[in-house]
Amino acid sequence: MTLKLRSVGASDRGLIRSGNQDAVHAGPWLVAVADGMGGMAAGDLASAIAIDSVAPLDVETPEDGLIAALQGAIGTASARIRQAVAEDPERQGMGTTLTALLFARTGSCLALAHIGDSRAYLLRDGVLKQVTRDDTFVQMLVDEGVITAEQASSHPRRAVVTQALQGAEVSPAYATMVPWAGDRWLLCSDGLSNVVRPDTLAEVLASYPDRAACGSRLIDLALRAGGPDNISVVVADVVPEDAA
């Protein structure tokens, strides 16, 4: 059985921010979320550069070329951000997270690239798993046993990232996985994951078969929780080739 990826993306400014610094891509082969930082204009630009750099990967890619393709696109994004800062020193410090999922043309493999604190979750057989690890100060404290994951969710420095695409050398995380029919992926910025609990995410992902309705419901829940940040989601399903 040949598997395909079907996806829908959505983004909302939220209730507090004056603009939206997030950017998303939801295609048949590639899905991605980027969350910009470093001031309004610069944050917008950084996330747009990241998504524009990975968007050309939304084509049929052989299984053995997935990681290399993602590495090349992230290298391009970093170079473009570095050039943008060189053109305008006021952009110094701008950057963006990036979480991207690339599906092989055979449907037999997918690759994940991640840097920052946007997240990828996988709902498989009714169980939700956070696949990415946050590049944040509080995650480092959790890993070291200084605080618990529950404490991290309300820590005053939970928004401090330890890695992002800012034009300097970085070490993104890469992984490959075998997709299953029925898998549902959620990629999101921290505007969702910081205010909506994982058990609620799991309930919504399992309860809304329609991808667009699912994404809208997730954004609505983040808004109901105060919408303190930009909110971006991509809902992507692994389905048989002849499915909708």
Side-chain angles (χ1 to χ4, degrees):
M1 177 175 59
T2 302
L3 299 176
K4 297 294 182 182
L5 196 68
R6 297 288 183 264
S7 65
V8 171
S11 189
D12 191 281
R13 178 172 58 88
L15 301 176
I16 304 298
R17 300 293 177 89
S18 58
N20 194 342
Q21 298 186 73
D22 289 357
V24 303
H25 180 95
W29 303 101
L30 174 82
V31 292
V33 169
D35 180 354
M37 63 193 76
M40 253 319 297
D44 284 357
L45 179 59
S47 62
I49 288 173
I51 294 300
D52 288 347
S53 297
V54 298
L57 302 184
D58 200 359
V59 294
E60 295 187 12
T61 304
E63 182 177 326
D64 60 2
L66 296 176
I67 295 292
L70 287 167
Q71 289 173 330
I74 287 176
T76 296
S78 188
R80 289 177 177 174
I81 289 172
R82 184 164 57 249
Q83 179 63 29
V85 173
E87 291 170 356
D88 184 352
E90 290 190 5
R91 295 171 177 160
Q92 185 67 41
M94 82 171 188
T96 183
T97 71
L98 179 66
T99 301
L101 189 70
L102 182 60
F103 205 72
R105 68 184 180 196
T106 58
S108 59
C109 184
L110 56 83
L112 182 71
H114 169 75
I115 184 167
D117 63 351
S118 295
R119 290 182 177 178
Y121 294 91
L122 172 61
L123 183 73
R124 174 177 286 180
D125 289 339
V127 178
L128 186 69
K129 177 183 179 182
Q130 181 182 333
V131 179
T132 52
R133 176 190 174 278
D134 295 345
D135 290 318
T136 59
F137 174 72
V138 294
Q139 183 61 54
M140 184 175 65
L141 295 181
V142 171
D143 293 344
E144 293 174 351
V146 177
I147 62 174
T148 65
E150 188 69 27
Q151 290 170 327
S153 65
S154 59
H155 195 282
R157 298 188 67 188
R158 65 185 180 276
V160 177
V161 297
T162 54
Q163 267 207 126
L165 288 177
Q166 294 182 286
E169 189 161 335
V170 290
S171 299
Y174 298 97
T176 57
M177 296 180 62
V178 176
W180 292 9
D183 283 353
R184 170 164 278 191
W185 286 86
L186 168 65
L187 273 60
C188 65
S189 61
D190 64 345
L192 177 69
S193 57
N194 276 350
V195 297
V196 180
R197 293 175 56 88
D199 56 345
T200 303
L201 296 178
E203 181 183 350
V204 174
L205 290 167
S207 302
Y208 287 77
D210 182 83
R211 290 177 285 276
C214 183
S216 295
R217 177 58 176 161
L218 290 170
I219 287 176
D220 181 59
L221 287 171
L223 293 172
R224 288 170 181 263
D229 200 352
N230 307 145
I231 311 149
S232 293
V233 303
V234 175
V235 178
D237 291 327
V238 177
V239 300
E241 187 172 21
D242 57 354

